[in-house]
Amino acid sequence: MKKRYIENKILIGLIIVIFMGLMISVISYFFKREDIKNSEMKNMVNISNNIDTVLDNFLGSMQTLYEIHYFDYTARDILLTDSKETDYRKRLEDSLYMDNSLKHIVGWNPGIEQATIISKYGNVYSNNPSVFAEYLEFIEAQKEANIPKEFKGTYYTEKYNKGSLFDNTTVITAIHPMYAYENSEMALMCIDIDYKALLNVLKTSVKNQKGCFYLFYEGRPVLSIYGDGYEQSRTCTEEAIENILDQDCKSNKVSNVSCDGRKVYVTKKENILTGWTIIQLRTEGEILQDLNKSNQITMFLLVVVFAIVLLLLYWINVRILKPLIHFEADIRTYSSGDSLKLVTYEKPVSERVSSVMNSYNHLVEQVNRYIDREIIYEKNQRNTQAIALRYQINPHFLFNTLNVIGSIAEINDLREVVDVTSNLSMILQYNIRGTKLVTLKEELAIANAYIEIQKVRFQNKIAIQYDVPETMLKEKIIKFILQPLLENVFKHACRKGDKSGLHIRISAVMRQPCLFLYVSDDGKGIEPEKLEKLNYMLEHEIDSQTILDEDKWEESIGLKNVIARIKNYYGNDCSIKLRSTVNLNTIVEIKLKHISFNDEISEEKEWRDD
């Protein structure tokens, strides 16, 4: 029953994990869906603007050709003059001037194949030295059929093949009437746009982009471009696209329309230079195509993972779980006692299970031997403790003895003995007091009591300076931080034969959220190699789990004691760092966490032996 319960529990857990994975995938899909749609809409606007810029750059000189008579007065005079009324030389000069001017302007744009001006007097000027009569007849027919009187825009023919003996280029011809200042027509500007070159440059501008791109002139398609993956298909039919032209789609904005029963995103932009309408179409499915593929792959991977985990679960059940359940059942049948019992299993087991059982039995034998030794040790330890308790010195006896010594010294006017015994008694009482935390003021008082004892020892050659703001005296810290460091100062900092004495400074600084204490002296300092070793020990060898073993540490026990207690209470973020210069000074920096006055402080109860 238990085996079946474990199997069901694992299977249910697996199903829950897979279900959560599916839910996360679905939720992520819908969040990404909106982000991708917004991103792709911005991209559509950028692409339309890019096509608009490409048209301006590729056909930039068209506007210059249209306005040649405005900035070139010589060209205007030539166009307004009937060449029949001038001599041959003048006609030749005018023709050369106009042809060269057109050739110069057309040279700016590779997209313009030919520019031809037909004046109202029938004079023809072109950058191409050969303008055939068929071309002039074609232009005249287009004008008669499509360009009304006083038309001031540009008319574009459909693409056609010029098909002459020397020119087999596919072009679109822009026919633009030119007017004099008195608003009378003076000529026709005919610009042949290289259709293939225009198509290639627009394809380059939408390379690696998805969607369909169309150029329309007055509802008539100029050309179509299909983005990445659309050479063989169209997003919408031509009829649907023409319907889109009639809809109110804001310029340079993405609109959402219906096209052939599908949701389509559309951008429309008018190119000012050519008057062409740039339309870009992308269905919602095309926008989300990559995301849908990614989501399908994710779903597939989740199914594969689910199948793999099921197979793994079956393998674990057959190869591992079933034998171990039998093994665990045998172990549970044993009742607890003074020693553990060995496990026996008569039926054949796999090599791994047999190895586990043998390891367990070996461990049981070792534990049983250890239990036997511990029983003997405990008995001996209780006997030793009973003997030690008989000889334990009562702290009250020690304080009373110090008070007697102090009283005798005071009667005999031995002031130094009185001071030493008073300060020593103060330190001992502070030491056995059970509180974990004390105020900084109390800690400084004990440090001062220790200094006063040392002053007697060093014949008042010790100078102590306290640089602690009064506002910080009530800060809570763990006790006995300063005294062990001061003990190190007297142990290591004093120079032999130095008669100038020793200057010690204790200071405190608050840098939220930390409290910094500094103990500095002007003693003999620490050698660089030893200083580096000490700092490494303080930073790496001691952490909040360290238990001090004084028998293994031969030196610096004061520093190790303090840093171990600091990290055990405050955590590994707090530290002690040493800075020293040989024969100049040593500075000990203690970093503690600030404890608020209002924090509830748990203190140990005072412990005293009766």
Side-chain angles (χ1 to χ4, degrees), residues 538-603:
L538 292 171
E539 183 178 357
H540 298 92
E541 295 183 6
I542 301 176
D543 58 27
S544 60
Q545 303 300 318
T546 299
I547 300 175
L548 294 175
D549 186 355
E550 297 185 12
D551 294 334
K552 294 183 179 180
W553 287 338
E554 298 177 355
E555 57 183 14
S556 303
I557 188 62
L559 282 174
K560 293 175 180 177
N561 188 320
V562 175
I563 187 61
R565 289 193 298 112
I566 286 175
K567 289 192 174 183
N568 279 325
Y569 187 82
Y570 294 100
N572 291 327
D573 292 340
C574 295
S575 62
I576 294 180
K577 294 182 181 178
L578 301 178
R579 300 194 297 273
S580 182
T581 303
V582 177
N583 295 326
L584 184 61
N585 65 1
T586 298
I587 301 174
V588 182
E589 178 189 88
I590 309 167
K591 178 185 177 183
L592 307 175
K593 288 183 180 177
H594 166 63
I595 300 175
S596 173
F597 298 151
N598 297 323
D599 287 347
E600 183 177 346
I601 302 169
S602 61
E603 300 183 351

Side-chain angles (χ1 to χ4, degrees), residues 26 288 303 407 477 499:
V26 171
L288 301 174
V303 173
S407 299
I477 63 172
K499 298 181 180 180

Side-chain angles (χ1 to χ4, degrees), residues 164-359:
S164 64
L165 181 62
F166 302 102
D167 192 350
N168 196 26
T169 307
T170 301
V171 297
I172 297 173
T173 300
I175 304 175
H176 182 84
M178 303 170 66
Y179 291 88
Y181 290 118
E182 56 271 18
N183 211 25
S184 61
E185 184 178 336
M186 58 187 296
L188 280 180
M189 172 64 73
C190 304
I191 301 175
D192 293 344
I193 301 171
D194 190 333
Y195 179 83
K196 292 182 179 179
L198 175 61
L199 187 62
N200 288 334
V201 74
L202 290 177
K203 281 184 177 181
T204 302
S205 68
V206 298
K207 188 177 181 181
N208 300 324
Q209 300 294 336
K210 296 180 179 180
C212 299
F213 308 88
Y214 304 94
L215 297 183
F216 280 84
Y217 172 73
E218 294 184 350
R220 180 163 46 85
V222 177
L223 56 82
S224 304
I225 312 165
Y226 303 106
D228 186 23
Y230 291 85
E231 283 76 4
Q232 302 300 325
S233 64
R234 300 174 71 93
T235 300
C236 295
T237 62
E238 291 186 2
E239 181 180 355
I241 296 171
E242 291 175 0
N243 292 334
I244 290 174
L245 285 172
D246 298 332
Q247 296 189 39
D248 185 20
C249 298
K250 294 182 180 179
S251 179
N252 217 27
K253 297 288 184 180
V254 180
S255 302
N256 187 349
V257 301
S258 177
C259 181
D260 293 342
R262 290 181 291 176
K263 191 175 183 180
V264 176
Y265 293 92
V266 180
T267 60
K268 289 174 63 176
K269 187 174 182 65
E270 182 107 6
N271 180 257
I272 297 176
L273 176 65
T274 61
W276 294 345
T277 301
I278 304 167
I279 294 181
Q280 180 184 179
L281 301 175
R282 290 190 67 181
T283 65
E284 187 174 50
E286 293 163 353
I287 289 177
L288 301 174
Q289 183 178 15
D290 292 338
L291 178 61
N292 291 334
K293 287 182 179 179
S294 175
N295 197 56
Q296 290 172 2
I297 292 172
T298 302
M299 295 296 182
F300 174 76
L301 290 176
L302 284 173
V303 173
V304 171
V305 170
F306 183 71
I308 292 174
V309 173
L310 281 178
L311 291 174
L312 182 62
L313 179 62
Y314 175 77
W315 184 88
I316 291 174
N317 179 58
V318 172
R319 298 283 184 175
I320 299 174
L321 189 59
K322 187 175 180 179
L324 289 180
I325 288 175
H326 286 291
F327 178 54
E328 186 263 349
D330 287 342
I331 294 175
R332 293 183 61 188
T333 58
Y334 295 123
S335 60
S336 61
D338 292 335
S339 61
L340 300 176
K341 294 183 180 181
L342 299 177
V343 173
T344 58
Y345 193 73
E346 297 179 356
K347 294 181 180 181
V349 296
S350 67
E351 182 179 351
R352 292 185 180 274
V353 174
S354 177
S355 175
V356 171
M357 292 177 61
N358 292 335
S359 299

Side-chain angles (χ1 to χ4, degrees), residues 527-543:
E527 296 292 334
E529 184 177 349
K530 184 177 181 181
L531 179 66
E532 183 179 356
K533 181 179 178 182
L534 288 172
N535 278 323
Y536 182 86
M537 177 268 296
L538 292 171
E539 183 178 357
H540 298 92
E541 295 183 6
I542 301 176
D543 58 27

